[in-house]
Short mmCIF file of all heavy atoms in Angstrom, two decimals:
data_model
loop_
_atom_site.label_atom_id
_atom_site.label_comp_id
_atom_site.label_asym_id
_atom_site.label_seq_id
_atom_site.Cartn_x
_atom_site.Cartn_y
_atom_site.Cartn_z
N SER A 554 138.89 115.88 274.40
CA SER A 554 140.03 115.05 274.01
C SER A 554 140.14 113.92 275.02
O SER A 554 139.33 113.70 275.89
CB SER A 554 141.34 115.90 273.97
OG SER A 554 142.38 115.15 273.36
N SER A 555 141.23 113.11 274.73
CA SER A 555 141.43 111.93 275.62
C SER A 555 142.89 111.86 276.00
O SER A 555 143.77 112.25 275.21
CB SER A 555 141.05 110.66 274.86
OG SER A 555 141.57 109.51 275.51
N PRO A 556 143.18 111.37 277.22
CA PRO A 556 144.57 111.19 277.60
C PRO A 556 145.22 110.03 276.83
O PRO A 556 146.47 109.86 276.86
CB PRO A 556 144.53 110.86 279.10
CG PRO A 556 143.13 110.37 279.35
CD PRO A 556 142.25 111.02 278.28
N GLY A 557 144.45 109.23 276.12
CA GLY A 557 145.04 108.10 275.35
C GLY A 557 145.43 108.57 274.00
O GLY A 557 145.23 109.74 273.58
N PRO A 558 145.94 107.67 273.14
CA PRO A 558 146.34 108.09 271.82
C PRO A 558 145.17 108.38 270.93
O PRO A 558 145.22 109.23 269.97
CB PRO A 558 147.08 106.85 271.26
CG PRO A 558 147.14 105.84 272.36
CD PRO A 558 146.36 106.33 273.53
N LEU A 559 144.04 107.71 271.12
CA LEU A 559 142.79 107.97 270.32
C LEU A 559 141.61 108.24 271.27
O LEU A 559 141.61 107.78 272.43
CB LEU A 559 142.48 106.75 269.48
CG LEU A 559 143.45 106.32 268.41
CD1 LEU A 559 142.99 105.05 267.71
CD2 LEU A 559 143.59 107.44 267.35
N ALA A 566 144.00 111.90 269.75
CA ALA A 566 143.83 112.48 271.07
C ALA A 566 145.22 112.95 271.62
O ALA A 566 146.20 112.99 270.87
CB ALA A 566 143.18 111.44 271.96
N SER A 567 145.30 113.23 272.87
CA SER A 567 146.32 114.06 273.45
C SER A 567 147.54 113.30 274.00
O SER A 567 148.50 113.93 274.43
CB SER A 567 145.78 114.99 274.53
OG SER A 567 144.90 115.86 273.99
N TYR A 568 147.54 111.96 273.95
CA TYR A 568 148.62 111.25 274.60
C TYR A 568 149.98 111.66 274.04
O TYR A 568 150.27 111.65 272.87
CB TYR A 568 148.43 109.74 274.30
CG TYR A 568 149.45 108.83 274.93
CD1 TYR A 568 149.55 108.68 276.31
CD2 TYR A 568 150.34 108.11 274.12
CE1 TYR A 568 150.51 107.85 276.87
CE2 TYR A 568 151.34 107.30 274.64
CZ TYR A 568 151.39 107.19 276.05
OH TYR A 568 152.33 106.40 276.62
N GLY A 569 150.85 112.09 274.95
CA GLY A 569 152.20 112.47 274.56
C GLY A 569 152.26 113.98 274.11
O GLY A 569 153.34 114.47 273.85
N GLU A 571 150.17 116.51 275.71
CA GLU A 571 149.28 117.22 276.64
C GLU A 571 149.53 118.69 276.66
O GLU A 571 148.60 119.46 276.50
CB GLU A 571 149.37 116.63 278.05
CG GLU A 571 148.93 115.15 278.17
CD GLU A 571 149.89 114.13 277.67
OE1 GLU A 571 151.00 114.48 277.20
OE2 GLU A 571 149.58 112.93 277.68
N TYR A 588 137.73 115.53 279.13
CA TYR A 588 138.91 114.71 278.93
C TYR A 588 138.50 113.26 279.21
O TYR A 588 138.29 112.88 280.35
CB TYR A 588 140.03 115.19 279.81
CG TYR A 588 141.43 114.97 279.35
CD1 TYR A 588 141.75 115.16 278.00
CD2 TYR A 588 142.42 114.51 280.21
CE1 TYR A 588 143.07 114.91 277.58
CE2 TYR A 588 143.68 114.30 279.82
CZ TYR A 588 144.03 114.53 278.43
OH TYR A 588 145.34 114.31 278.05
N ASP A 589 138.35 112.51 278.14
CA ASP A 589 137.70 111.22 278.16
C ASP A 589 138.68 110.03 278.09
O ASP A 589 139.43 109.88 277.16
CB ASP A 589 136.79 111.16 276.93
CG ASP A 589 135.73 110.10 276.99
OD1 ASP A 589 135.90 109.17 277.85
OD2 ASP A 589 134.80 110.08 276.14
N LEU A 590 138.72 109.19 279.10
CA LEU A 590 139.68 108.14 279.29
C LEU A 590 139.91 107.31 278.00
O LEU A 590 141.06 107.08 277.65
CB LEU A 590 139.22 107.25 280.45
CG LEU A 590 140.31 106.29 280.96
CD1 LEU A 590 141.48 106.95 281.50
CD2 LEU A 590 139.71 105.36 282.03
N CYS A 591 138.88 106.78 277.43
CA CYS A 591 138.91 106.04 276.17
C CYS A 591 140.11 105.16 276.04
O CYS A 591 140.28 104.25 276.92
CB CYS A 591 138.85 106.94 275.00
SG CYS A 591 137.46 108.02 274.95
N THR A 592 140.97 105.35 275.06
CA THR A 592 142.03 104.42 274.74
C THR A 592 143.18 104.43 275.78
O THR A 592 144.08 103.60 275.70
CB THR A 592 142.66 104.67 273.39
OG1 THR A 592 143.10 106.01 273.40
CG2 THR A 592 141.65 104.47 272.30
N TYR A 593 143.13 105.35 276.74
CA TYR A 593 144.15 105.29 277.79
C TYR A 593 143.98 103.99 278.58
O TYR A 593 144.95 103.53 279.16
CB TYR A 593 144.02 106.52 278.69
CG TYR A 593 145.21 106.68 279.65
CD1 TYR A 593 146.38 107.31 279.25
CD2 TYR A 593 145.21 106.05 280.88
CE1 TYR A 593 147.52 107.40 280.03
CE2 TYR A 593 146.33 106.10 281.74
CZ TYR A 593 147.44 106.80 281.30
OH TYR A 593 148.53 106.84 282.10
N ARG A 594 142.78 103.45 278.52
CA ARG A 594 142.55 102.22 279.24
C ARG A 594 143.42 101.13 278.79
O ARG A 594 143.84 100.20 279.56
CB ARG A 594 141.04 101.76 279.11
CG ARG A 594 140.13 102.56 279.92
CD ARG A 594 138.74 102.17 279.67
NE ARG A 594 138.23 102.66 278.38
CZ ARG A 594 137.01 102.61 278.00
NH1 ARG A 594 136.04 102.17 278.81
NH2 ARG A 594 136.64 103.02 276.75
N LEU A 596 146.42 101.32 278.15
CA LEU A 596 147.76 101.53 278.69
C LEU A 596 147.81 101.17 280.20
O LEU A 596 148.79 101.34 280.85
CB LEU A 596 148.21 102.96 278.48
CG LEU A 596 148.13 103.52 277.08
CD1 LEU A 596 148.45 104.96 277.07
CD2 LEU A 596 148.99 102.73 276.13
N LEU A 606 144.74 105.95 287.49
CA LEU A 606 143.86 106.85 286.87
C LEU A 606 144.26 108.34 287.06
O LEU A 606 144.04 109.20 286.18
CB LEU A 606 142.45 106.70 287.38
CG LEU A 606 141.71 105.44 286.92
CD1 LEU A 606 140.57 105.08 287.83
CD2 LEU A 606 141.16 105.63 285.51
N PRO A 609 147.32 110.53 284.44
CA PRO A 609 147.02 111.24 283.19
C PRO A 609 146.19 112.49 283.36
O PRO A 609 146.29 113.44 282.57
CB PRO A 609 146.31 110.14 282.41
CG PRO A 609 145.83 109.14 283.40
CD PRO A 609 146.81 109.20 284.50
N TYR A 610 145.23 112.40 284.33
CA TYR A 610 144.40 113.56 284.55
C TYR A 610 145.13 114.72 285.17
O TYR A 610 144.92 115.91 284.81
CB TYR A 610 143.12 113.17 285.34
CG TYR A 610 142.10 112.46 284.49
CD1 TYR A 610 142.02 111.09 284.50
CD2 TYR A 610 141.35 113.16 283.59
CE1 TYR A 610 141.15 110.40 283.63
CE2 TYR A 610 140.49 112.56 282.74
CZ TYR A 610 140.37 111.17 282.76
OH TYR A 610 139.51 110.55 281.88
N MET A 613 147.29 116.62 282.51
CA MET A 613 146.55 117.58 281.71
C MET A 613 146.21 118.84 282.50
O MET A 613 146.27 119.92 282.02
CB MET A 613 145.34 116.92 281.05
CG MET A 613 144.56 117.89 280.11
SD MET A 613 145.62 118.74 278.90
CE MET A 613 145.30 117.89 277.41
N TYR A 626 137.60 122.00 283.79
CA TYR A 626 138.16 120.66 283.48
C TYR A 626 137.17 119.60 283.85
O TYR A 626 136.89 119.41 285.05
CB TYR A 626 139.47 120.57 284.32
CG TYR A 626 140.34 119.42 283.96
CD1 TYR A 626 140.41 118.89 282.65
CD2 TYR A 626 141.19 118.89 284.94
CE1 TYR A 626 141.24 117.81 282.39
CE2 TYR A 626 142.04 117.83 284.68
CZ TYR A 626 142.06 117.28 283.39
OH TYR A 626 142.91 116.22 283.06
N CYS A 629 136.20 112.56 282.36
CA CYS A 629 135.27 111.59 281.88
C CYS A 629 135.95 110.22 281.95
O CYS A 629 136.80 109.94 281.07
CB CYS A 629 134.81 111.98 280.46
SG CYS A 629 133.66 110.79 279.79
#
Side-chain angles (χ1 to χ4, degrees):
S554 191
S555 165
L559 295 176
S567 297
Y568 182 67
E571 294 79 1
Y588 208 43
D589 193 348
L590 192 61
C591 304
T592 58
Y593 190 88
R594 283 178 289 193
L596 309 173
L606 287 160
Y610 281 101
M613 182 50 103
Y626 191 29
C629 176

